[in-house]
């Protein structure tokens, strides 16, 4: 029988966790009863340096429920790293793992379908939202625009899939060899290969607590997604630069031929405007190239991405 680990990153989730632990417990019991997972399957809560009672709660669940594990990170490192920490910890002793947000906005009911697909031979099963009616209009439109943009930049992503997915142990092992600092997990997973499939569900509203993903974190994630996977912005700039230079040459020839001996003041505005325009373009280009250099700098340092402070694990 295959052992399942459910990995849950948590940041200041004290309002949500009591609900989460019961629901996930029910899911595990149900899957046990149906004989789809091993008895020693478990839920691993990763505390991403929460400031509230999150870790105390996890410790409490750990003593009360045999199926709960807790991993405490030394500080807040963000959702993507926290999830990675959990996945790599669970990789050691699970045959498959499912990652899900602590707020359970993603439907736990489809976990069974994910496991069925795993037994049919899939190594990766994506949870895909088939509607976003419950998200705010702003979140919905920006998210959708983002997926389209990613596609345009040539980054392989699964449309409307966040980080709710099942991965087999060997897929996680493969993932663990991606040691990059600018981490965008849902961009990496489709590049792993292996047989994959999707299950569909309706995304729910957050029942308790509020979103831990403010606009700034969302923008950082989106920016990481694009710049960590695509060099198209740089290619675009190079082409644009060439086109502008070519255009200026034509314009210069034209001006020389038709206004060679004309009034000096004429054309001052257009001249100064084009200087500003080109200056702006150059600054923009330099800045963008700088973004990539900044990333190279970070990668080269090869810093550890997180530090585990404590790992609560029931004795075998
Ligand atoms: N999260 C985390 N570290 C952070 C921010 C968020 O581990 O710095 C977790 C959070 O506890 C939740 C998941 O990431 O389990 C997704 O966050 P949230 O539900 O707030 O995002 P949203 O659904 O609003 O995009
Ligand atoms: Mg959420």
């Amino acid at each position: 029988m295959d052992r399942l680990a459910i990995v849950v990153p948590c940041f200041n989730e004290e309002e949500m966790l009591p609900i989460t632990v019961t629901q996930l417990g029910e899911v595990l019991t149900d899957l046990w009863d149906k004989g789809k997972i091993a008895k020693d399957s478990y839920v691993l809560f990763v505390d991403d340096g929460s400031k509230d009672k999150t870790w105390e709660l996890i410790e409490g669940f750990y003593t009360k429920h045999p199926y709960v594990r807790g991993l405490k990170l030394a500080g807040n490192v963000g959702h993507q790293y926290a999830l990675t920490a959990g996945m790599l910890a669970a990789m050691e002793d699970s045959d498959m793992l499912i990652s899900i947000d602590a707020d359970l906005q993603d439907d736990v009911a489809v976990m069974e379908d994910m496991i069925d697909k795993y037994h049919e031979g899939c190594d990766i099963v994506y949870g895909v939202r088939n509607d976003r009616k419950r998200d705010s209009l702003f979140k919905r439109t920006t998210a959708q625009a983002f997926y389209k943009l990613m596609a345009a930049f040539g980054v392989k992503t699964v449309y409307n899939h966040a980080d709710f997915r099942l991965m087999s142990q060997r897929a996680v092992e493969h993932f663990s060899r991606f040691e990059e600092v600018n981490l965008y997990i849902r961009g990496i997973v489709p590049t792993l290969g292996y047989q994959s499939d999707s299950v569909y569900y309706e995304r729910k509203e957050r029942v308790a607590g509020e979103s831990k993903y403010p606009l700034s974190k969302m923008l950082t994630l989106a920016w990481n997604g694009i710049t960590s996977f695509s060099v198209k912005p740089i290619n675009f700039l190079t082409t644009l630069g060439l086109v502008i230079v070519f255009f200026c040459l034509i314009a210069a020839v034209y001006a020389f031929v038709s206004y060679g001996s004309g009034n000096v003041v004429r054309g001052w505005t257009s001249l100064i405007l084009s200087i500003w325009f080109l200056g702006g373009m150059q600054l923009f280009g330099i800045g963008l190239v700088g973004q990539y250099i900044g990333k190279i700098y970070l990668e080269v340092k090869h810093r550890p991405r997180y530090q585990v402070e404590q790992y609560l694990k029931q004795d075998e």
Side-chain angles (χ1 to χ4, degrees):
M1 195 63 74
D2 286 330
R3 197 180 201 190
L4 169 73
I6 301 179
V7 179
V8 190
C10 313
F11 176 56
N12 295 343
E13 296 283 7
E14 61 179 7
E15 287 125 314
M16 197 59 221
L17 279 185
I19 310 172
T20 311
V21 76
T22 1
Q23 283 210 23
L24 291 179
E26 279 163 17
V27 172
L28 281 186
T29 323
D30 181 48
L31 290 168
W32 281 325
D33 292 346
K34 290 183 178 152
K36 295 196 172 177
I37 54 171
K39 262 283 178 213
D40 51 359
S41 298
Y42 57 92
V43 179
L44 171 62
F45 290 103
V46 183
D47 174 25
D48 182 15
S50 300
K51 302 269 179 298
D52 63 0
K53 297 226 160 51
T54 299
W55 181 246
E56 283 79 359
L57 282 175
I58 295 172
E59 281 177 322
F61 302 150
Y62 168 74
T63 39
K64 214 164 114 204
H65 308 291
Y67 59 84
V68 169
R69 289 187 185 189
L71 185 75
K72 185 179 188 337
L73 300 184
N76 179 244
V77 290
H79 176 224
Q80 298 287 295
Y81 290 161
L83 183 54
T84 307
M87 285 164 67
L88 300 197
M91 177 179 82
E92 320 267 299
D93 45 15
S94 65
D95 300 292
M96 55 181 147
L97 64 81
I98 294 179
S99 49
I100 188 166
D101 289 350
D103 55 10
L104 300 188
Q105 284 185 284
D106 307 301
D107 195 355
V108 291
V110 298
M111 285 188 176
E112 189 177 341
D113 304 337
M114 287 180 162
I115 290 159
D116 288 342
K117 292 210 190 279
Y118 165 83
H119 286 304
E120 283 161 22
C122 287
D123 279 275
I124 299 167
V125 186
Y126 301 102
V128 176
R129 305 164 189 170
N130 58 12
D131 90 318
R132 277 180 172 271
K133 279 188 228 107
R134 309 274 161 81
D135 277 341
S136 71
L137 182 69
F138 175 75
K139 183 129 190 173
R140 197 163 66 218
T141 36
T142 47
Q144 231 119 42
F146 174 63
Y147 286 113
K148 297 233 165 80
L149 190 71
M150 291 294 276
F153 278 125
V155 186
K156 259 204 231 170
T157 41
V158 178
Y159 192 68
N160 263 345
H161 158 72
D163 284 306
F164 179 37
R165 78 178 80 77
L166 177 144
M167 285 171 83
S168 69
Q169 189 182 31
R170 60 176 183 179
V172 181
E173 262 163 13
H174 187 179
F175 168 77
S176 71
R177 293 204 293 273
F178 284 69
E179 292 187 336
E180 57 210 73
V181 174
N182 295 289
L183 190 60
Y184 184 67
I185 302 175
R186 60 193 94 149
I188 295 176
V189 176
T191 68
L192 296 178
Y194 296 116
Q195 191 180 330
S196 65
D197 206 339
S198 303
V199 294
Y200 299 88
Y201 64 95
E202 224 175 84
R203 183 158 156 105
K204 289 180 269 191
E205 249 162 288
R206 198 183 238 282
V207 233
E210 48 201 50
S211 174
K212 308 298 179 300
Y213 251 97
L215 185 62
S216 60
K217 276 193 186 171
M218 257 160 63
L219 289 177
T220 311
L221 183 71
W223 183 244
N224 259 343
I226 291 169
T227 52
S228 305
F229 283 88
S230 170
V231 287
K232 282 203 181 174
I234 291 187
N235 297 346
F236 170 73
L237 271 176
T238 323
T239 319
L240 187 68
L242 280 177
V243 169
I244 290 175
V245 168
F246 183 70
F247 180 77
C248 283
L249 284 178
I250 305 262
V253 169
Y254 174 75
F256 184 73
V257 170
S258 45
Y259 297 104
S261 53
N263 190 333
V264 184
V265 181
R266 223 164 80 196
W268 184 85
T269 313
S270 55
L271 185 69
I272 212 77
L273 277 181
S274 59
I275 288 173
W276 286 357
F277 174 72
L278 287 174
M281 283 310 300
Q282 281 167 345
L283 272 182
F284 179 63
I286 292 168
L288 205 76
V289 172
Q291 292 281 347
Y292 283 90
I293 294 176
K295 286 187 178 249
I296 294 169
Y297 171 66
L298 288 176
E299 297 295 353
V300 162
K301 283 202 284 195
H302 218 89
R303 288 183 176 175
R305 296 178 296 181
Y306 53 81
Q307 177 62 41
V308 173
E309 189 177 314
Q310 207 179 339
Y311 189 11
L312 298 180
K313 190 167 145 183
Q314 320 280 351
D315 289 329
E316 306 284 319

